[in-house]
Amino acid sequence: MILENITLDTPYLDLDEEFFRLSDPDPLDKPYLISFNPEAGKLINLDITACDNKNFIELLNGTFMLKGSRPFAMCYAGYQFGNYNPWMGDGRALNLGKTLGWNLQLKGSGETLYSRSADGRAAIRSSIREYLMSEAMFHLAIPTTRALGIIGSKTKILRNRMENAAILMRLSTSWVRFGTFEYFYYRKQYTKLEALAEYVIKESYPHLQDDKDRFFKMFCQILERTAQLIAKWQGIGFNHGVMNTDNMSIEGLTIDYGPYAMLDDFNYNFICNSSDRIGRYSYGEQPNISYWNLTKLSEAFSPLVDKKKMKDKLDDYGAFIYPNAYVEVMREKLGLFVKEEDDADLVEELVVSLHEAYVDHTLFFRTLSHYDGDRAPLYDIAMNPVVVDNWLKLYDERLEKENCSQEQRQEKMLETNPKYILKNHMLQKAIEKAEEGDFSMVETLLYIAAHPYDELPEYEHYSQDTPEEHKNIGLSCSS
Ligand code: AMP
Ligand code: MG
C-alpha cells in the first residue's frame, strides 16, 4: 500500500480531553532522509520501497498527514529516580493515530503542552540509537516498540553542543505507561483512572473485556509481562538506564530508548546512564527496580483493585514469578531442555563467575554455544579463565542430566545466543558518519540488527570483543 491509501483512527481521543492535547507538528528545516525500515513498513501494510522519498520525508516532518490523522500529545506523570513528577507527558512526541493495531508517533516534532522548558526536539544521535536498537531488540525476541524511519535536518538544537535535529517515527501497540495511571491516581481523578483502565483493556488485554475481575487480572498480566521483559533484558545483557515509571510500558514493552547499553565485559554493577550516580538503574538492579515500579503501579491501581490481592501478587513476583522467568531465559541460553530444581544455583554461580572473569557477555554465550567439552575457546576470551573453568565443571555435570545430543544443544543455543548485538561504540561510529552525511553504516547496522544469529562473514569484526577504550562507557541522558 502507498501512503495516500493508509487511514488512521484515533481511539485515544474518545477519552476525556484531559488525557491529551491536540497539537500540530512543527516541521524541521530542510529535512532529508536518513533511513527507512521496510520491515516496520510491512506492519502497517506500507511498501516503503514503492513510496517516494519525498512523501516519506514529508510524513515524518509532519507536512504530509495520513488520512484520519489527528496529532496529539498524551499526558502522563512518573517517578523519576524515585521522585514523583506530576506533570510530564509527550514533551517531544506526537501521536498521529492508529492502523492495524499500531499507534504511529513522531518523536522530535516540536513543542507540546508537556514540553516544560525543553525544546520538543530530538538529536540525530539519540534518534539513530532508538531506531537501530528497537529493531535489534525485536529480532532478539524482546518485546519492544518499532521504528519506521528517521529524517535529519538543518534545524539546530543545543545539547552538550549544537546538533542537528531529527524526527523518528515510532510504532507501538500501546503508548500507555505506568505513569499514565499515576497521573490520574495522584490527582484523585478516579473516574478517569477507570476510563484509562478500560481503554488499556480494550487496546492491550481485550480477552479480559468481559471479565468481572478484569482490573486485577490486567494488573497480574502487566506484572507477568514485566517479569518476562526484565528476564530477557538480563539474559541478553541489556541495561535500559532510565527505568522511571513513565518509561515502563503497560504492555511490558521496551520503550523510550535513552542512554541504554548492551554489556561489554559482564559487569553486574554496570551503569550505562552516567547521570545515575548511585546505580539505581544499573544492570544488576533492573529486577529490583521492576518490582519497585510495579509496587508504585499497584498504588495507582488501588482505587480499582483490592490492595491485598495486589500485594500478594507482588510478593509472588519477588518470590518466584520473576526468578522463574529469569531461570527459564538462562536455561535456554545454556541449552538446557530438562528442568532441574537447582538450575537457579547453576545460574547464580554463572553470574558470579562471569562477573569475575572479565569476559565479553555476548561472546561468552556464543562461544559456549559451540562447546563440545573443549574449554580452550572459553579460556581464550576470558581474562580470568580460572573462574570460567570452575563453572564449566558444574555445567559439565549438569549436561549429564540432559537427554539431547550435543548437536541439538548447540543448534538451540546458536538460535538463542546472538553473534551480533549493537554495542555503543558501533552505534557511535554510525552516528558520527551520519552527522557527516554518510548513512551507510546506519544501513549496515540495521542489517546486522535484523540478523543477530547468522554468520555474516563480511561483518565478522562486529562480533569481536569491544576494543578496550570503548568498554562499559556510560552515556548521559541528554538527547
Ligand atoms: P525521556 O527521558 O526521554 O523519557 O523524557 C522524560 C520526559 O521529558 C518526557 O516527558 C519527555 O517528553 C520529556 N522530554 C525529554 N526531552 C525533551 C525535549 N527535548 N523537549 C521536550 N520534552 C522533552
Ligand atoms: Mg520517556
Side-chain angles (χ1 to χ4, degrees):
M1 209 190 295
I2 55 169
L3 285 176
E4 286 76 1
N5 293 344
I6 293 179
T7 304
L8 305 182
D9 62 357
T10 48
Y12 204 74
L13 300 184
D14 294 340
L15 288 162
D16 184 275
E17 60 188 19
E18 189 169 352
F19 283 80
F20 56 85
R21 176 61 71 97
L22 293 172
S23 190
D24 288 327
D26 181 6
L28 296 176
D29 185 29
K30 300 197 175 56
Y32 56 85
L33 184 66
I34 294 182
S35 180
F36 63 74
N37 179 5
E39 284 293 306
K42 285 183 200 153
L43 301 173
I44 55 168
N45 218 349
L46 173 67
D47 181 0
I48 301 186
T49 48
C51 95
D52 89 34
N53 277 0
K54 183 169 163 291
N55 275 6
F56 188 72
I57 292 168
E58 290 198 354
L59 171 73
L60 267 63
N61 205 23
T63 47
F64 171 83
M65 281 290 150
L66 296 171
K67 264 185 268 168
S69 195
R70 291 179 69 199
F72 64 94
M74 290 161 69
C75 74
Y76 51 81
Y79 278 90
Q80 297 181 292
F81 289 88
N83 302 309
Y84 185 64
N85 182 345
W87 183 255
M88 298 175 74
D90 292 327
R92 53 170 165 170
L94 283 177
N95 303 279
L96 301 180
K98 186 171 183 179
T99 180
L100 298 175
W102 292 93
N103 296 286
L104 277 53
Q105 192 185 76
L106 299 177
K107 184 168 178 181
S109 50
E111 283 178 39
T112 73
L113 176 66
Y114 312 106
S115 300
R116 295 171 283 167
S117 56
D119 61 5
R121 295 298 185 196
I124 288 186
R125 180 168 45 92
S126 64
S127 306
I128 290 179
R129 283 173 55 80
E130 175 150 12
Y131 178 70
L132 291 175
M133 197 61 193
S134 59
E135 204 53 19
M137 293 292 260
F138 169 73
H139 288 281
L140 292 165
I142 299 176
T144 178
T145 59
R146 304 290 298 275
L148 190 66
I150 314 181
I151 56 169
S153 73
K154 292 273 181 244
T155 302
K156 295 282 177 202
I157 54 174
L158 181 62
R159 294 298 181 260
N160 292 333
R161 56 186 168 88
M162 290 307 280
E163 295 190 38
N164 287 343
I167 296 179
L168 172 73
M169 181 175 273
R170 314 195 282 184
L171 312 177
S172 184
T173 44
S174 166
W175 286 114
V176 178
R177 300 139 190 278
F178 288 14
T180 322
F181 282 86
E182 287 169 334
Y183 181 98
F184 294 102
Y185 170 67
Y186 288 102
R187 283 179 166 73
K188 298 194 169 48
Q189 294 174 325
Y190 300 148
T191 311
K192 292 182 185 183
L193 185 77
E194 187 170 339
L196 177 64
E198 295 289 14
Y199 177 86
V200 172
I201 285 186
K202 204 162 167 198
E203 176 160 78
S204 308
Y205 301 96
H207 55 287
L208 297 178
Q209 267 178 110
D210 299 322
D211 197 309
K212 279 205 181 68
D213 207 12
R214 59 188 173 285
F215 295 148
F216 174 60
K217 288 193 178 152
M218 171 163 73
F219 177 77
C220 295
Q221 298 219 337
I222 296 165
L223 188 142
E224 308 262 354
R225 287 200 194 188
T226 304
Q228 292 293 332
L229 178 72
I230 307 300
K232 288 184 173 193
W233 284 2
Q234 299 307 101
I236 207 73
F238 177 78
N239 186 196
H240 181 283
V242 201
M243 283 177 70
N244 294 335
T245 56
D246 51 290
N247 290 336
M248 295 295 292
S249 154
I250 215 72
E251 275 190 11
L253 308 172
T254 313
I255 54 170
D256 285 10
Y257 291 80
Y260 69 80
M262 302 293 293
L263 293 180
D264 294 307
D265 283 353
F266 184 90
N267 173 2
Y268 193 75
N269 303 320
F270 176 61
I271 307 168
C272 66
N273 182 349
S274 60
S275 324
D276 179 11
R277 302 254 175 259
I278 57 165
R280 178 180 171 88
Y281 298 140
S282 70
Y283 168 76
E285 274 301 302
Q286 294 183 139
N288 290 335
I289 284 293
S290 69
Y291 173 83
W292 192 90
N293 287 341
L294 284 162
T295 305
K296 289 293 162 198
L297 183 69
S298 76
E299 286 170 26
F301 264 54
S302 60
L304 307 174
V305 179
D306 178 62
K307 282 187 197 170
K308 168 84 171 63
K309 274 166 68 176
M310 290 193 286
K311 167 87 174 61
D312 290 348
K313 192 74 191 176
L314 282 163
D315 289 348
D316 292 349
Y317 185 87
F320 59 85
I321 295 175
Y322 174 75
N324 287 352
Y326 177 59
V327 171
E328 200 44 56
V329 164
M330 295 307 286
R331 250 192 216 111
E332 282 194 22
K333 287 183 79 69
L334 297 176
L336 305 176
F337 292 75
V338 176
K339 287 188 185 184
E340 286 287 320
E341 269 293 296
D342 45 11
D343 284 345
D345 299 336
L346 180 75
V347 170
E348 202 175 314
E349 283 293 333
L350 174 62
V351 170
V352 173
S353 306
L354 288 179
H355 188 79
E356 292 173 1
Y358 294 97
V359 61
D360 183 273
H361 180 258
T362 307
L363 200 53
F364 175 82
F365 283 101
R366 188 72 182 184
T367 310
L368 190 70
S369 306
H370 292 287
Y371 184 59
D372 58 5
D374 175 11
R375 297 180 181 183
L378 286 154
Y379 295 163
D380 285 350
I381 57 170
M383 202 130 89
N384 179 1
V386 178
V387 286
V388 173
D389 185 57
N390 290 340
W391 181 80
L392 283 171
K393 285 181 195 133
L394 302 176
Y395 186 53
D396 280 342
E397 282 168 25
R398 175 62 182 79
L399 287 181
E400 280 169 24
K401 297 179 184 154
E402 292 290 311
N403 312 314
C404 72
S405 69
Q406 181 176 291
E407 288 70 30
Q408 280 172 315
R409 188 183 72 246
Q410 288 178 346
E411 198 182 310
K412 177 176 160 165
M413 290 172 76
L414 288 168
E415 288 167 359
T416 308
N417 297 307
K419 174 151 178 165
Y420 297 98
I421 52 147
L422 301 184
K423 291 180 169 173
N424 275 343
H425 73 99
M426 294 158 58
L427 293 162
Q428 190 49 37
K429 194 91 206 138
I431 290 162
E432 282 164 18
K433 286 189 170 187
E435 285 176 336
E436 289 162 8
D438 172 1
F439 311 128
S440 57
M441 195 168 159
V442 173
E443 295 308 313
T444 301
L445 295 189
L446 187 65
Y447 181 79
I448 287 176
H451 298 86
Y453 307 109
D454 293 355
E455 295 292 332
L456 308 172
E458 73 270 44
Y459 300 126
E460 190 67 24
H461 52 292
Y462 289 128
S463 69
Q464 313 280 307
D465 196 2
T466 310
E468 207 56 46
E469 68 274 22
H470 294 305
K471 277 184 182 171
N472 295 342
I473 291 174
L475 294 175
S476 83
C477 265
S478 105
S479 55

